[in-house]
Structure formats: structure tokens, C-alpha cells
Amino acid sequence: MSLDRRAVMAELVRDAGDTLVVAGLGSTAYDLGAAGDRAENFYLWGAMGGAAMIGLGLALAQPSRRVLVATGDGEALMGMGALATIAACGAPNLAIAVLDNGRFGETGGQASHTGRGTDLCAVAAGCGWRATARARTMAEVAALRPRLRAEALFAVIAISPEEVERFLPPRDGTWLARRLRAALGIAPD
Amino acid sequence: MGSVEGNAVTSWQDDVFDALKEADVRQIGYVPDAGHATTIRRAETDPDIRAVVLTTEAEGVAMAAGAWLGGQRAALLMQSSGVGNTINMLSLVSNLRMPFLTVVTMRGEWGEFNPWQVPMGTGTPAVLEAMGVLVRHAEHPAEAGLVVRAAADLAFGSSVAVAVLLSQRLIGAKVFVQKEGAR
């Protein structure tokens, strides 16, 4: 049994409230958009490997808000050092969820490192993350949701590598950034 | 750190930190360099600043983007060799049209004893400019703080990316020779 990525993302961001959500480039950004666009969502269309650190900067700047980084295994692998940086820094209001299909889905479905044995939960634990979790069923994903809103949690969710229909969220970064800042009540510079 | 704590060196390094502090920089990502030692030490002990040690310089660009999204100002401290590690991540600064400030200690340009530092040091200004980062230079101790202050005003006042290159002549090549000889 293999989880549908759209159903997983919909569950992760269900009743998101004022949680700030950063999605890594590619399918996770499409998944987040498909789950319902909101001003508190920030979609990456590039800057591969940067999602977690954008989440850290945001979490440090907004300590009273929850920040969720949702990204894919390829994006997380490219920014793997960020797991050490975030653990060393500490950010109690930041959680990361990796939707892991073991593939580079955007480029032809080549097997990624997680599809060849790399265990991102073990990497995060080795980097100093105290809370890590895995989910393989929708019940486990549902159990992750409140934890991702409350803990400094690193979670890996095994999803199906099956391709789903593309959903393209807004890709004007200038607009997305200012929309998010406005939602946070930040005045223009 | 004894070799970088001499009066003249500490003085301009303090000016650099003071300029960042006056610009209300609240997050400082860094990959260490002896030329940034004072700034890092003061940032680590300043209650209003989060100093974040990075595994690679690209992380600092992404962190600065997140900081700005959340309403805080950030700066990235790195050595010229790290500029190459930031290239693709710098696509954030033009796509978001966000302020970005980095202070770069130069290697490979004057009195360099390690030839491996020369290629990236030589390419640093062109790489930054190719990615849309405005490049400013500080060559003398008396101007280091002023150049950083002006760069911060430019970056945060008009949401552009600015790099201040602290020349190797300013930092002093001798310091590095002593430190590397000790490794």
C-alpha cells in the first residue's frame, strides 16, 4: 500500500490555521497548491535545497508562529547540511515533512538516494534532531499532523511514486513573498 | 585567535559588526573565516541577534530569504571561496526581489600563499554580478564600517542584493599564513 501524495499533503495542511507553509520545488509545491492556495503558503519553483533554510529564517523571525516545511526527498537531499544547521541552531516552531517517493519525479523518475538506501530520518537524528518520525499509512500521517504543528519534528512520509496530474500554484516569487509578508502584517520596506 | 585580535584588525572588524547592528540585522548566517572572527563572536553573544553557523554558504542565502519573509533583516558572512557555493540559491534574490546583504572576506587576491584560493577569489566579483548582486569594495580599515553601512542602506532600503568584498589587503594575508601553518 502506497500513499497518494495529494491525499498526504491535504492531510498535513488540513485546518492549517495561521501555520506558515514552505513547499520545496516540484511536486510538493504542486501538492500544496492543490490542497488550497492561501497567503501563508510559499511555493518554491527553484532554489533547490533551500526550503528547510527558508523555513529556519522564517521561524526565527516569527517565533510565535508555526512553520512547516514540506518538501520532496530530492530537494531535502540537496540541502542535507541544513538538517545539521537547524539542529545546531534550534528552532522549536519549525517542523519538516519530507514526502519521499524515492524518485526525482520532475526529471523522469530516476531513483534518488532514498530509493537506494539513504535514510533521511537517520540522517536527521544523526544531525541532532531529537524528534523524528516515519509514516507509511494515512493513519500515521494523521497522527503526524498535530505533532508537526507543535514540535520541532522531522518526519519522512513514504508516498507512491505514481505521477499525478500537475497543479501549478502561482510562480511569481515577488508577489508570493509580499503576499506572505502582508499576511504577517509586515509593512513594505 | 590571537593573531586577529591586534588593535587595528579588531577596530575595523568592530566597525563591521556595528554597521550590521545599526542596520537592525537580526539574523547572521556564517561560514567562519578569521576575517569575520570579531563579527561572529559579537553576533554570538548579542541577545538581539541570532548567529547561525552554516554547513554551506547557500544555506545563508535561503535563511536570509526566510528572515525577510518573516520581517527580519539578515546578513551572510563568508569567504570568497564560498561565493561559488551560493550561485543557484542567489536566484532567490531576483525572484523575490528581496534585500540581501553579504560580507565577503577575500582570499586569493593579494599576498595569497595558498594557490587553491586564487580561482574562486579571482572569479568572485564576476560571479556575484552575474547573479544580480551589486558589488562594493572595502580596501582600507577606516572605510570598512562605512562601506558595510552604505551597503546595508542600499540593500534594505531598496530591496536589492549587495555584497561587500573586504579585500585581502585589508584583512592581512599574514594572519592566514600563520593560521594555516598551524594546521
Side-chain angles (χ1 to χ4, degrees):
Chain A
M1 94 181 232
S2 211
L3 301 184
D4 170 64
R5 57 182 314 136
R6 291 284 153 82
V8 167
M9 182 65 85
E11 178 61 22
L12 292 179
V13 300
R14 184 158 63 86
D15 302 327
D18 65 1
T19 301
L20 309 172
V21 186
V22 177
L25 83 172
S27 297
T28 48
Y30 311 155
D31 296 337
L32 181 63
D37 187 32
R38 50 201 277 281
E40 293 85 358
N41 289 356
F42 189 74
Y43 314 97
L44 286 162
W45 283 83
M48 186 166 175
M53 285 302 296
I54 291 174
L56 178 64
L58 187 52
L60 294 178
Q62 291 285 329
S64 65
R65 301 287 285 259
R66 289 295 308 180
V67 177
L68 172 65
V69 172
T71 193
D73 47 292
E75 207 273 347
L77 284 159
M78 190 173 283
M80 216 155 67
L83 298 180
T85 296
I86 293 166
C89 173
N93 57 326
L94 172 64
I96 299 177
V98 178
L99 277 61
D100 183 4
N101 61 4
R103 301 274 192 286
F104 293 101
E106 285 298 295
T107 53
Q110 301 88 348
S112 78
H113 304 65
T114 62
R116 302 171 193 252
T118 297
D119 179 345
L120 283 173
C121 265
V123 171
C127 286
W129 285 72
R130 290 186 188 149
T132 63
R134 302 170 207 272
R136 296 187 169 278
T137 67
M138 284 309 293
E140 289 170 346
V141 175
L144 276 183
R145 186 168 58 90
R147 295 189 63 194
L148 290 166
R149 309 275 175 88
E151 299 176 37
L153 178 67
F154 179 87
V156 175
I157 302 160
I159 60 166
S160 165
E162 193 175 329
E163 285 195 48
V164 296
E165 191 181 344
R166 275 197 185 174
F167 180 96
L168 303 183
R171 62 182 183 274
D172 179 341
T174 304
W175 180 76
L176 285 166
R178 281 155 184 81
R179 182 177 71 157
L180 175 60
R181 283 165 54 89
L184 288 168
I186 300 163
D189 284 318
Chain B
M1 290 297 155
S3 56
V4 291
E5 295 295 324
N7 289 337
V9 173
T10 304
S11 172
W12 69 256
Q13 288 202 18
D14 279 323
D15 292 345
V16 168
F17 178 82
D18 290 342
L20 296 175
K21 178 85 176 163
E22 282 165 28
D24 196 28
V25 167
R26 304 290 296 276
Q27 298 185 29
I28 294 181
Y30 66 89
V31 174
D33 180 64
H36 291 307
T38 297
T39 310
I40 292 168
R41 178 174 50 74
R42 290 187 61 189
E44 289 278 9
T45 54
D46 190 304
D48 297 323
I49 292 176
R50 286 300 297 261
V52 179
V53 63
L54 311 169
T55 71
T56 177
E57 294 79 358
E59 292 173 8
V61 181
M63 189 178 86
W68 176 72
L69 287 173
Q72 282 192 345
R73 294 176 171 184
L76 167 61
L77 310 179
M78 61 179 160
Q79 194 180 104
S80 51
S81 52
V83 169
N85 295 344
T86 69
I87 297 175
N88 185 54
M89 204 61 77
L90 286 169
S91 58
L92 283 169
V93 303
S94 51
N95 269 293
L96 272 56
R97 197 171 188 281
M98 56 172 264
F100 175 69
L101 176 64
T102 182
V103 183
V104 181
T105 45
M106 292 303 298
R107 298 285 309 267
E109 64 173 9
W110 182 81
E112 179 62 61
F113 102 114
N114 180 354
W116 295 63
Q117 288 282 357
V118 174
M120 194 63 236
T122 306
T124 285
V127 162
L128 288 166
E129 284 167 353
M131 291 309 295
V133 181
L134 301 168
V135 175
R136 301 290 182 263
H137 299 270
E139 308 276 347
H140 307 290
E143 69 182 12
L146 297 172
V147 175
V148 173
R149 195 167 284 117
D153 287 346
L154 179 60
F156 299 119
S158 47
S159 295
V160 296
V162 187
V164 175
L165 308 187
L166 302 176
S167 82
Q168 194 167 17
R169 196 157 194 162
L170 163 69
I171 295 157
K174 191 177 174 187
V175 169
F176 298 105
V177 174
Q178 286 174 347
K179 287 186 71 66
E180 298 205 356
R183 275 182 201 153

